[in-house]
Amino acid sequence: MAQVEKRGGLLRKSSASKKPLKEKVVLMYDEIFMTEDPSKCSPRFWEELFLMKVNLEYLEGKLESLDGEELMKIKDNVNCLFQHCIQALGEEHPIRVVNALQTLCALIRGVHQKNKSTSGFDIINMLMGFDKAELCMKNLMESLDSLLCAEGSESLKSLCLKLLLCLVTVTDNISQNTILEYVMINSIFEAILQILSHPPSRREHGYDAVVLLALLVNYRKYESVNPYIVKLSIVDDEATLNGMGLVIAQALSEYNRQYKDKEEEHQSGFFSALTNMVGSMFIADAHEKISVQTNEAILLALYEAVHLNRNFITVLAQSHPEMGLVTTPVSPAPTTPATPLGTTPPSSDVISSVELPLDADVQTSNLLITFLKYSSIVMQDTKDEHRLHSGKLCLIILTCIAEDQYANAFLHDDNMNFRVNLHRMPMRHRKKAADKNLPCRPLVCAVLDLMVEFIVTHMMKEFPMDLYVRCIQVVHKLLCYQKKCRVRLHYTWRELWSALINLLKFLMSNETVLLAKHNIFTLALMIVNLFNMFITYGDTFLPTPSSYDELYYEIIRMHQSFDNLYSMVLRLSTNAGQWKEAASKVTHALVNIRAIINHFNPKIESYAAVNHISQLSEEQVLEVVRANYDTLTLKLQDGLDQYERYSEQHKEAAFFKELVRSISTNVRRNLAFHTLSQEVLLKEFSTIS
């Protein structure tokens, strides 16, 4: 007997040369694409259609192949198909519901794809007709809401979320997707929250639910009142917020794990042998090769939660029991094709298990630690635009955290100490830090470490000015809290001071190149004012009097850098060029630093001359400093502990519009045919009751 093969909806005998036979569902689709009503000749046409296995590829391809005029001729039949799909969602038989959901996906995507190349028909009118659109969408959203909230099939819920993601992402710019007006009116917000608050549902569908919510929140967020924004901002249910935090933590944790695995793979492989042989000249190239695709969708969800909902801040520090131990999933995870990281949800085993702490007996992890580790990976390489945007979003999230009073309270809490193993960029002039030597410290130390790490590793020709400004702002906001609450943080402040001075040196040595693209004086002023914060208020928040002495020692030791900066800004502020005003502000800001240098340097030289010492030790310099504080005169500078609060709408709207467009494209691309496959579903519904 000849073997039967199936391709693109066609059935043919492999050994014969006869005309291929079409499978029945394809013949039924062809009838829909005629101008006649298919149910005229076959009264049970629609009933039979939803018992047939959907051929997504054929249906979508057929819609795309028609031109605008041809599509308008069959509009009544398309409307009829759309309405019958919605009716089928209320059926008792799950196979009908499954087929209706998949048919809706194909219809929505096919019609939208057609609209990209051919204008002249409205998508809403084409799918359901203007006169019936409101009722159709109301019924559709109510059916989806019921299916998501019911205790029924997990596969059906998964398909409902896929349909909603399909609906939201069919256009690159989601704010131009007019169908979403009906999703705003007929909210599914409560259904999403129910998924997140219920552990079994969260494990299966949490990722899709969180990404869907993040996208819905961004629909026309600057033009009109978005009900999803309003509702998200007032959620106070602990189980829901913790559920959302857990989904985000697990997605980021999975990224961190995959990155670490790749890093270890490279270190033990050919590259490791090569770099050992010829030195470390190739270390940067080796590092670039282990970059893993970032996950902006889940990062956007974290941002929206932190930015909109003050109650979510508590979730950042919440230790998750599931994050401390690896557990075996109760049921086997459905197999999904391998796709790039960041585009698909973590599998069920990842959601049951989570990131292992360095020492399981000592500590558990939390969302903030996982996010800081993620940021330390993402912010290493900002050379391409994609990673630059990801790094920017990480810094925006940290900005929101650094401004929040409650977040600062637990960041600086001496009773909440953690080891946070941040990823450090391989550099020729430093050794890789050993993980086991990490001290347990308040979480703010890890934030400061991350900022210092960024400062020292991104002084390059393609200078990321915007990221540097944000980085310095995060440090400044943390210092403002410490000054206000008199928190004496035991931190290696010298590393920060050294990094800031090296950054100033970089700005000066690359003045001509950088000034062609950036106003470097804005950044220089911020750095100088950080030093002014330490000089003016350091006695209220530095851990010990000797820390304050060390600050002065560092300024005196590096006086040449400050002298050079003063010469540069004085030169530009006395000229009538475009930088006159900006440079002049730095000149005025340097007054106390210059006073310290001019006061102590002669006394140090005198001490060396009297004692016949050619080069003083650090302790000898500190002795001179301590003996001459009384005669030092400093000017009180206003506004050092003030800052402008973060505002998305006024400054970041363009960035978020572009980011959401990129996420929407990525989500749509990865809702490929295989993710809507019926194989798993048909196994679950092998019999029709």
Side-chain angles (χ1 to χ4, degrees):
M1 189 174 174
Q3 188 182 357
V4 176
E5 294 180 12
K6 176 184 165 189
R7 286 182 188 170
L10 302 177
L11 296 172
R12 68 179 180 85
K13 289 184 178 179
S14 56
S15 60
S17 57
K18 291 181 181 178
K19 189 178 177 182
L21 299 170
K22 289 186 177 180
E23 58 180 305
K24 186 171 180 182
V25 74
V26 169
L27 292 169
M28 296 182 85
Y29 291 155
D30 287 346
E31 286 187 56
I32 294 168
F33 286 97
M34 304 292 182
T35 52
E36 291 292 318
D37 178 356
S39 62
K40 272 187 181 177
C41 300
S42 311
R44 291 173 57 83
F45 179 86
W46 299 111
E47 196 178 329
E48 287 178 15
L49 178 67
F50 295 113
L51 287 173
M52 301 285 165
K53 181 180 175 181
V54 178
N55 189 323
L56 284 162
E57 195 169 358
Y58 184 84
L59 183 55
E60 234 178 287
K62 189 79 175 172
L63 284 163
E64 287 179 44
S65 69
L66 301 175
D67 63 34
E69 197 175 316
E70 288 172 326
L71 206 51
M72 286 307 291
K73 284 179 183 175
I74 60 158
K75 177 182 125 19
D76 289 346
N77 282 358
V78 172
N79 289 174
C80 210
L81 174 58
F82 197 88
Q83 285 159 31
H84 277 92
C85 283
I86 295 169
Q87 283 173 27
L89 295 182
E91 293 272 355
E92 287 181 17
H93 303 317
I95 285 182
R96 289 185 191 277
V97 180
V98 166
N99 289 332
L101 286 167
Q102 293 192 311
T103 305
L104 283 168
C105 283
L107 266 179
I108 291 162
R109 294 207 304 194
V111 170
H112 265 282
Q113 285 291 343
K114 187 73 237 160
N115 191 43
K116 280 185 177 179
S117 54
T118 312
S119 56
F121 64 89
D122 188 280
I123 290 162
I124 294 174
N125 189 34
M126 189 64 230
L127 283 173
M128 53 199 118
F130 286 131
D131 53 335
K132 295 174 185 164
E134 197 168 325
L135 183 61
C136 267
M137 286 304 297
K138 181 176 182 289
N139 292 338
L140 172 61
M141 295 307 293
E142 283 178 358
S143 295
L144 293 175
D145 188 74
S146 298
L147 289 167
L148 288 171
C149 293
E151 288 189 7
S153 157
E154 296 301 331
S155 296
L156 270 183
K157 289 182 184 180
S158 177
L159 207 48
C160 287
L161 287 166
K162 292 279 191 288
L163 172 59
L164 285 162
L165 283 168
C166 174
L167 192 66
V168 172
T169 62
V170 279
T171 55
D172 289 348
N173 181 351
I174 65 170
S175 293
Q176 291 176 351
N177 184 354
T178 45
I179 293 180
L180 290 189
E181 283 298 329
Y182 300 108
V183 183
M184 295 294 121
I185 296 164
N186 305 285
S187 174
I188 47 148
F189 184 81
E190 284 70 23
I192 293 172
L193 293 198
Q194 185 174 315
I195 288 168
L196 296 175
S197 62
H198 189 53
S201 289
R202 187 188 69 230
R203 279 193 285 272
E204 291 287 335
H205 317 297
Y207 184 92
D208 282 350
V210 162
V211 172
L212 176 63
L213 181 58
L215 289 168
L216 288 171
V217 160
N218 279 277
Y219 174 72
R220 303 192 68 189
K221 71 191 308 190
Y222 308 119
E223 294 99 58
S224 60
V225 178
N226 179 324
Y228 290 85
I229 292 178
V230 177
K231 289 178 178 182
L232 179 57
S233 67
I234 58 173
V235 174
D236 59 0
D237 178 65
E238 196 176 336
T240 305
L241 293 172
N242 283 340
M244 187 176 187
L246 190 58
V247 170
I248 295 168
Q250 285 154 349
L252 297 180
S253 182
E254 172 66 358
Y255 174 93
N256 295 347
R257 186 190 63 75
Q258 288 197 27
Y259 181 88
K260 192 174 181 184
D261 288 349
K262 284 201 172 189
E263 190 176 43
E264 287 171 358
E265 196 180 300
H266 272 260
Q267 284 169 356
S268 61
F270 168 75
F271 253 106
S272 178
L274 187 64
T275 49
N276 287 338
M277 201 162 36
V278 295
S280 56
M281 65 175 77
F282 297 121
I283 202 160
D285 297 332
H287 175 71
E288 270 183 32
K289 288 182 181 292
I290 60 167
S291 60
V292 182
Q293 185 176 338
T294 51
N295 191 336
E296 278 78 20
I298 213 74
L299 212 54
L300 178 67
L302 175 59
Y303 164 75
E304 296 297 357
V306 168
H307 181 232
L308 294 175
N309 191 306
R310 290 216 58 217
N311 299 314
F312 189 80
I313 293 291
T314 62
V315 175
L316 293 173
Q318 188 81 37
S319 293
H320 294 291
E322 293 144 288
M323 297 190 75
L325 300 166
V326 175
T327 57
T328 308
V330 177
S331 56
T335 54
T336 52
T339 53
L341 182 65
T343 58
T344 54
S347 59
S348 297
D349 60 330
V350 174
I351 295 210
S352 304
S353 67
V354 285
E355 161 179 349
L356 283 168
L358 292 168
D359 184 347
D361 297 323
V362 172
Q363 70 171 73
T364 56
S365 190
N366 60 38
L367 175 53
L368 183 60
I369 291 172
T370 307
F371 167 64
L372 290 173
K373 289 180 183 180
Y374 178 88
S375 300
S376 71
I377 297 169
V378 167
M379 285 162 58
Q380 285 181 29
D381 181 11
T382 56
K383 288 193 180 82
D384 69 63
E385 196 176 7
H386 183 73
R387 291 199 188 95
L388 191 72
H389 285 166
S390 209
K392 179 173 177 175
L393 186 52
C394 287
L395 283 166
I396 289 175
I397 294 168
L398 283 170
T399 300
C400 294
I401 291 169
E403 285 184 6
D404 187 88
Q405 186 78 3
Y406 181 80
N408 268 305
F410 71 70
L411 280 175
H412 292 85
D413 190 341
D414 262 337
N415 298 312
M416 289 177 64
N417 293 325
F418 293 89
R419 280 194 194 93
V420 183
N421 180 24
L422 299 176
H423 288 261
R424 286 158 61 87
M425 190 185 286
M427 295 179 80
R428 284 189 286 272
H429 62 273
R430 68 177 184 187
K431 290 182 180 178
K432 193 175 188 304
D435 297 351
K436 60 185 177 184
N437 295 333
L438 291 169
C440 270
R441 302 174 298 170
L443 284 168
V444 68
C445 296
V447 179
L448 289 168
D449 283 350
L450 183 62
M451 298 301 98
V452 169
E453 177 66 12
F454 180 84
I455 291 168
V456 299
T457 55
H458 289 77
M459 294 181 234
M460 52 195 180
K461 192 166 65 175
E462 289 300 317
F463 189 70
M465 173 63 82
D466 179 57
L467 299 193
Y468 266 106
V469 168
R470 293 174 193 278
C471 177
I472 302 299
Q473 284 173 340
V474 169
V475 175
H476 179 234
K477 286 167 184 180
L478 294 172
L479 290 181
C480 288
Y481 175 82
Q482 290 168 25
K483 179 257 173 185
K484 178 185 170 187
C485 298
R486 294 181 173 263
V487 176
R488 294 191 182 277
L489 183 69
H490 287 271
Y491 182 71
T492 48
W493 291 110
R494 224 174 211 185
E495 289 185 10
L496 173 64
W497 300 332
S498 174
L500 293 172
I501 292 168
N502 284 331
L503 179 53
L504 282 177
K505 285 163 74 174
F506 176 82
L507 295 178
M508 288 184 283
S509 59
N510 295 276
E511 175 195 345
T512 310
V513 176
L514 292 175
L515 275 178
K517 295 180 182 178
H518 311 288
N519 176 4
I520 61 172
F521 302 106
T522 304
L523 184 57
L525 180 64
M526 293 171 73
I527 296 166
V528 169
N529 277 337
L530 275 188
F531 278 102
N532 285 330
M533 271 282 285
F534 283 105
I535 293 164
T536 310
Y537 303 116
D539 59 331
T540 66
F541 63 81
L542 285 172
T544 60
S546 62
S547 304
Y548 195 72
D549 300 338
E550 285 168 9
L551 167 69
Y552 276 64
Y553 173 79
E554 207 61 31
I555 291 170
I556 295 160
R557 187 176 72 87
M558 301 303 293
H559 72 90
Q560 195 61 56
S561 299
F562 291 108
D563 291 343
N564 293 345
L565 176 63
Y566 183 73
S567 300
M568 183 181 89
V569 292
L570 189 65
R571 167 171 47 86
L572 288 160
S573 63
T574 50
N575 295 340
Q578 68 176 112
W579 305 116
K580 180 174 181 175
E581 190 181 342
S584 181
K585 286 179 182 176
V586 183
T587 310
H588 295 309
L590 280 165
V591 62
N592 280 343
I593 292 174
R594 285 179 49 73
I596 290 167
I597 293 166
N598 294 334
H599 176 74
F600 286 105
N601 265 359
K603 290 178 169 52
I604 290 165
E605 287 165 13
S606 171
Y607 179 91
V610 169
N611 293 283
H612 307 290
I613 305 168
S614 59
Q615 196 166 0
L616 271 64
S617 67
E618 180 177 336
E619 196 46 54
Q620 288 168 327
V621 172
L622 288 171
E623 189 184 322
V624 177
V625 168
R626 291 185 192 110
N628 291 281
Y629 272 134
D630 292 348
T631 51
L632 174 65
T633 305
L634 297 175
K635 287 188 177 178
L636 187 63
Q637 293 174 307
D638 294 327
L640 292 175
D641 57 344
Q642 306 294 315
Y643 59 80
E644 186 183 351
R645 290 189 69 82
Y646 170 77
S647 169
E648 179 189 321
Q649 187 166 353
H650 298 106
K651 295 192 174 179
E652 312 295 349
F655 167 70
F656 278 101
K657 279 180 181 174
E658 195 53 46
L659 181 74
V660 173
R661 178 188 288 269
S662 167
I663 292 168
S664 177
T665 307
N666 202 29
V667 170
R668 180 177 68 245
R669 191 185 301 125
N670 288 286
L671 277 174
F673 293 116
H674 59 252
T675 65
L676 300 173
S677 165
Q678 278 190 324
E679 302 307 316
V680 176
L681 299 162
L682 290 176
K683 280 178 190 173
E684 189 175 337
F685 312 128
S686 54
T687 57
I688 301 176
S689 52

